[in-house]
Amino acid sequence: MSNDVVVALDVGGTGMKCALVRPDGTVHHAERHPTLAARGPEAVTANILDIAAGLADRARADGLTPVAAGVAVPGVVDEETGTAVWSSNVGFRDVPLRALVSDRLGVPAALGHDVRVGGMAEARLGAGRAERHVLFIAIGTGIAAAHVVDGKAFAGAHGAAGEVGHVIVRPGGPPCGCGARGCLESVASASAVGRRYVELSGVPGVTASDVVARAAAGEELAKSVWTEAVEAFADGLLTAQALYDAGIVVLGGGLAESGEALLAPLRIALDARITFHRMPRIVRAALGDTAGCLGAALLALDTLEAPS
Ligand SMILES: [Zn+2]
């Protein structure tokens, strides 16, 4: 038993984080590869299978036994059938990834949604591990969330739960990629913050983290853009808290790296909005960009425990 490991892959739009993980969650070996999404979904799928098989070989060479595999992908994921249904940045259309990985490696496999498994990892191994009710929110190009209770992330009836980024916080506001206007991610995602600053200042190429730095340095325009984003985020979080009553909100993704520059004003803004709600703790994610890969490993380990 002590020689068991699972093969875990977190497939992103540009890169894949891959690891061999022991049942206690410790990492035996980790590696990163480019996703090569531009070559199309068939090439990406072949790449995933080769990397997974390579990791299994590596495990055996190290005297370990690969007992299961877990893969996390972005987009719409049907976790019950193990299908990567749709993804804008990788191009998946109904790819039966779980079956393909399981057939190639000859072990049970699991397929999960990147943000949901990342939330699971933060809830079980990271910043949320002392709490039963965890809301993980990843703020990057978009905003997506995972509601995790007792270590299990809820996918919803159609695999689309947790889309906090599409809570409308500014009716009639900026257009969102989903087709609506004024969604939280159209106002408060990293890309929205950068875009808003560029729009108002006319200075090209300014990113959200530049805005945070400029605001910290006392620049008025940056301060007002950042405050707008934090206020919008608090509005979205208030709705999320009304629905989920989280004990802790764990913020991950690129924008969470701004740390207290986000957390401190956000706590104040949420507290000011709260009526009947209970204030959750609001903290930064602990696992960084390895959360998805660790979550994929947890999914793989869960397949071994599930009675089948
Ligand atoms: Zn939207």
Side-chain angles (χ1 to χ4, degrees):
M1 273 305 270
S2 60
N3 284 342
D4 290 354
V5 281
V6 294
V7 172
L9 285 85
D10 174 20
V11 180
T14 53
M16 293 189 215
K17 291 130 200 161
C18 317
L20 293 169
V21 181
R22 293 194 191 86
D24 65 2
T26 56
V27 174
H28 169 71
H29 166 77
E31 54 191 52
R32 295 186 179 218
H33 300 273
T35 301
L36 308 175
R39 297 188 190 172
E42 286 80 14
V44 172
T45 301
N47 198 15
I48 289 169
L49 296 176
D50 288 345
I51 289 166
L55 279 163
D57 289 343
R58 161 83 195 231
R60 284 184 284 265
D62 290 351
L64 302 171
T65 311
V67 289
V71 179
V73 296
V76 180
V77 181
D78 184 333
E79 286 163 0
E80 287 191 9
T81 63
T83 310
V85 176
W86 183 90
S87 148
S88 60
N89 49 8
V90 184
F92 291 134
R93 300 290 183 269
D94 293 317
V95 181
L97 261 183
R98 183 177 69 200
L100 292 170
V101 170
S102 181
D103 288 351
R104 177 75 176 266
L105 270 58
V107 296
L111 183 71
H113 177 262
D114 56 355
V115 176
R116 277 198 290 276
V117 303
M120 237 170 68
E122 283 291 344
R124 292 200 213 169
L125 306 169
R129 69 190 177 283
E131 295 276 351
R132 290 183 55 208
H133 297 265
V134 178
L135 182 64
F136 172 71
I137 307 181
I139 319 166
T141 321
I143 295 177
H147 180 214
V148 185
V149 177
D150 291 332
K152 289 230 171 294
F154 289 91
H158 314 93
E163 292 289 357
V164 168
H166 301 284
V167 168
I168 293 176
V169 293
R170 296 291 178 265
C176 179
C178 76
R181 282 184 169 273
C183 291
L184 179 58
E185 78 172 37
S186 75
V187 190
S189 63
S191 23
V193 170
R195 194 167 53 233
R196 180 74 176 147
Y197 184 91
V198 168
E199 209 174 86
L200 293 174
S201 67
V203 180
V206 177
T207 66
S209 57
D210 297 335
V211 173
V212 172
R214 287 174 187 226
E219 192 202 292
E220 286 306 321
L221 179 62
K223 282 203 279 190
S224 90
V225 167
W226 184 237
T227 301
E228 267 179 40
V230 170
E231 298 273 316
F233 200 83
D235 287 332
L237 194 50
L238 184 72
T239 297
Q241 189 60 0
L243 297 174
Y244 301 131
D245 186 26
I248 189 167
V249 174
V250 177
L251 301 181
L255 206 52
E257 274 158 41
S258 47
E260 287 300 314
L262 170 64
L263 297 173
L266 180 60
R267 289 185 192 112
I268 293 166
L270 182 63
D271 196 41
R273 285 161 170 75
I274 270 177
T275 60
F276 68 90
H277 325 69
R278 300 297 294 271
M279 184 75 185
R281 284 203 290 139
I282 303 177
V283 302
R284 187 177 159 181
L287 303 174
D289 71 354
T290 62
C293 186
L294 288 170
L298 291 174
L299 269 192
L301 290 164
D302 287 353
T303 65
L304 301 172
E305 283 166 18
S308 55

